[in-house]
Amino acid sequence: ELKGETIIVVLGASGDLAKKKTFPALFGLYKEGYLPEDLSIIGYARSKLSDEEFKDRQIGHIKGPKEDASSEEKSEHDAKLKKFQEISSYISGAYDNDDGFLALTKAMEEIEGKRQNKGSGPNRIFYMALPPSVFTVVATNLKKNCYKGAKDARIVIEKPFGKDLESCREMMSALKSQWSEDETYRIDHYLGKEMVKNLLLLRFGNLWIESSWNKNFISNVQITFKEPFGTEGRGGYFDEFGIIRDVCQNHLLQTLSILTMERPVSFSAEDVRDEKVKVLRCIPAIEKKDTLLGQYVAAGDKPGYLDDDTVPKGSVCPTFAALTLFINNPRWEGVPFIMKAGKALNEAKVEVRVQYKDVTPGIFSDIPRNELVLRIQPDEAIYMKMNAKTPGLLTRAIPIELDLSYKRRFERAKIPEAYESLILDAFKGDHSNFVRDDELDVAWEIFTPILHWIDGKDGEAPKPEPYPYGSRGPEKLDEFINQYGFKRSNTG
Ligand code: BG6
């Protein structure tokens, strides 16, 4: 249980991230009683908003109770929401001069002055829901104006952390000159997802998984991220980054590192992250030949990427990428790890698919491979494709599934939102699911060469393959994947 006065300041409080993710997650935690009793929330942004306007926006994305909730649950929700608004206030100020930050400090001191409970928790958490262009200046101004007098101050930031190795290092060193590693919490929200958090347990808590988790048994691994919508007005932002910077270099690589790391000495944040860094250091930079890029085009009534007015004319920015990585260590040498990520595809799905090798021939002529699938979203599930005998008098093999669907198995469990899980960790001071500086560095080393090639820094930028909005991706995708030994099983 968290005790003590805590103020969380959400910077960029009128922006999209704060509205859609930060405030709903804060409310979710607050409602369930996970946050300190005497919490205060201060929103800070440039927009001039009255307290009331701010509070309306703050709760705009908070989901109400389920329709079939009892009247008691509904009134409890309303009461909590009211209280949540009462502990919230808003300050409008600039990011690049002292005035607003001094006003913020004054507001924090007023709240702190009224309180008796000095407690043991952090007292000031600064959550930066901000565009990267102001990360450094805001972090610097916070340190300069809002840090003195704080018992335990923390800063929470979220990607993009630069655009390549060099720009990331530049940003990190500017931030680090102000905020120590211990005070800094770098969010990659995939690390807060239930199934990603499950990976360590699944791997190291099950002998049958752990003992086959290597190149002797596994043929290839696919990590897939599919979204059924395009950039839809967010094209200006997206075009600067592209799909690889948007999800591969961070979300999918983080997932890969936990999937492949050695067993940590303990569950402690440093032990876990030490192992992640070690395995990442075994991955050489991705090569051009192991890359397939795509960009969606109009299909039916759905617009193409270049039809989005916010996208620069003629952009060759990839909205789809398939990339194959290799890990040069004794466990994984030679096993292809295929990352596939794309916008405007045929479905919403994020999953890891571990395909085992063929059963040695002999008594079987053609039997599908085992596959262990970890579905991260939607509908968390773990299933193993395996072979069994068809029930009956004949001895014939049939592919079946050992199927653990979370909805069915954990009917009543509430699966927390990724941001809830991470914000709570930041309150508790647990760094395990935050990205350490050296992880970030090595992640950029793996991706920077192909990103520079895609950006046209090595000559002409490669042209992405067109794929229709709502399709599985570029036509060449199957051929691309098959070259790494993937075999489509007859169960689809
Ligand atoms: C963000 C990307 O980091 O992750 C978005 O910038 C993407 O483009 C999002 O849509 C996906 O997150 P989730 O939790 O919806 O899978």
Side-chain angles (χ1 to χ4, degrees), residues 159 189-190 193 225 227 234 237 246-247 251 343 377:
K159 77 163 174 79
H189 80 283
Y190 267 58
K193 290 194 186 265
F225 169 101
E227 277 183 345
R234 218 176 134 239
Y237 162 83
D246 196 38
V247 300
H251 306 329
K343 299 258 171 196
Q377 65 193 37

Side-chain angles (χ1 to χ4, degrees), residues 231-237 239 305 307-313:
T231 49
E232 267 109 64
R234 218 176 134 239
Y237 162 83
D239 201 83
Y305 179 67
D307 302 326
D308 184 334
D309 285 341
T310 55
V311 168
K313 297 270 157 293

Side-chain angles (χ1 to χ4, degrees), residues 214-220 355-359 369-370:
N214 58 54
K215 65 179 182 205
N216 299 329
F217 293 90
I218 292 173
S219 159
N220 61 82
Q355 185 168 73
Y356 282 75
K357 292 189 167 176
D358 284 325
V359 173
R369 291 174 164 186
N370 289 145

Side-chain angles (χ1 to χ4, degrees), residues 175-245:
L175 291 176
K176 282 169 80 159
S177 67
Q178 310 292 333
W179 294 86
S180 72
E181 187 63 24
D182 223 32
E183 293 167 330
T184 306
Y185 293 76
R186 292 182 203 91
I187 287 196
D188 182 309
H189 80 283
Y190 267 58
L191 293 178
K193 290 194 186 265
E194 185 64 28
M195 195 53 79
V196 177
K197 288 178 75 179
N198 191 14
L199 284 174
L200 273 187
L201 248 140
L202 210 60
R203 283 194 53 200
F204 298 112
N206 294 294
L207 203 55
W208 66 275
I209 294 187
E210 179 50 11
S211 53
S212 65
W213 212 245
N214 58 54
K215 65 179 182 205
N216 299 329
F217 293 90
I218 292 173
S219 159
N220 61 82
V221 177
Q222 286 184 56
I223 303 180
T224 306
F225 169 101
K226 294 168 92 175
E227 277 183 345
F229 43 83
T231 49
E232 267 109 64
R234 218 176 134 239
Y237 162 83
F238 186 87
D239 201 83
E240 243 193 82
F241 294 91
I243 193 73
I244 298 178
R245 288 185 180 93

Side-chain angles (χ1 to χ4, degrees), residues 125-139:
I125 298 181
F126 300 105
Y127 189 107
M128 308 226 291
L130 291 168
S133 53
V134 296
F135 277 179
T136 312
V137 65
V138 171

